[in-house]
Amino acid sequence: MPALPAAREPGRYRIALVCLGNICRSPTAHVVLESRLADAGLADRVEVASSGTGGWHVGNPMDPRAAATLTASGYDPSRHRARQYDATWPEAYDLVLVMDEANLADVGGRSDRVGMFRDLDPVDPGGAVPDPYYGGDDGFEEVLAMVERTSDAIVAALPSALRGTD
Ligand code: 4NP
């Protein structure tokens, strides 16, 4: 996957964020990335969606610990409802970013438009966003910090990807 693959349709960009349950990591990234896009004036040109490879939580709001961590940092987690990933997403989106290696295997591996979210981490690239579901509150804080700096890097790279050039 290039830094950000070029828009399929120049001037519009669609990003899908994928984790296991779609109640902790990818919804956190969804809320933060949308907030950063709004701050950058890109909200009307860049669409964000999220889903989980598992279907257990479909229709549910975010995990209360993930929601509380976002609220404490000034974000609004209230609109999230969990969705399940399906195999049509890599064709529907310009970019699919998964949170860990298990998610990557579940979506069929890397491709031109599928990679790991933290490939784009400007501080410590290449790893996973660790699953905080079975851990303590500090896991949610760690996820938020990774997501905030990586979302900033994605927003910085989007103007060139939006033009349809890598
Ligand atoms: P997420 O975390 O993939 O970051 O949303 C999880 C949420 C739920 C489960 C696992 C991970 N679960 O097994 O229900």
Side-chain angles (χ1 to χ4, degrees):
M1 188 185 76
L4 282 190
R8 295 176 193 273
E9 179 193 338
R12 303 276 318 156
Y13 209 83
R14 305 182 76 210
I15 301 174
L17 304 166
V18 180
C19 62
L20 178 59
N22 195 219
I23 56 171
C24 299
R25 291 166 293 173
S26 64
T28 295
H30 187 166
V31 167
V32 169
L33 183 55
E34 280 192 340
S35 171
R36 295 294 202 269
L37 288 166
D39 291 347
L42 291 171
D44 57 341
R45 287 191 282 156
V46 183
E47 177 188 331
V48 184
S50 67
S51 67
T53 57
W56 315 283
H57 303 285
V58 166
N60 291 346
M62 219 181 283
D63 180 287
R65 299 163 296 172
T69 303
L70 283 167
T71 301
S73 289
Y75 300 98
D76 175 10
S78 66
R79 284 170 301 154
H80 180 72
R81 295 295 177 272
R83 302 172 64 187
Q84 186 168 14
Y85 179 86
D86 73 60
T88 64
W89 284 44
E91 285 165 32
Y93 290 86
D94 293 290
L95 177 62
V96 177
L97 294 174
V98 306
M99 297 294 146
D100 65 28
E101 296 284 356
N103 308 147
L104 192 60
D106 285 341
V107 304
R110 292 179 182 279
S111 74
D112 286 355
R113 295 189 181 270
V114 178
M116 297 263 279
F117 184 78
R118 286 193 63 211
D119 291 350
L120 301 161
D121 184 337
V123 174
D124 186 15
V129 179
D131 189 345
Y133 187 68
Y134 295 106
D137 288 346
D138 54 343
F140 289 85
E141 301 284 350
E142 183 188 17
V143 167
L144 181 59
M146 290 173 175
V147 158
E148 285 182 320
R149 67 189 187 230
T150 303
S151 294
D152 286 338
I154 292 170
V155 170
L158 269 166
S160 124
L162 270 164
R163 281 194 292 276
T165 54
D166 288 336

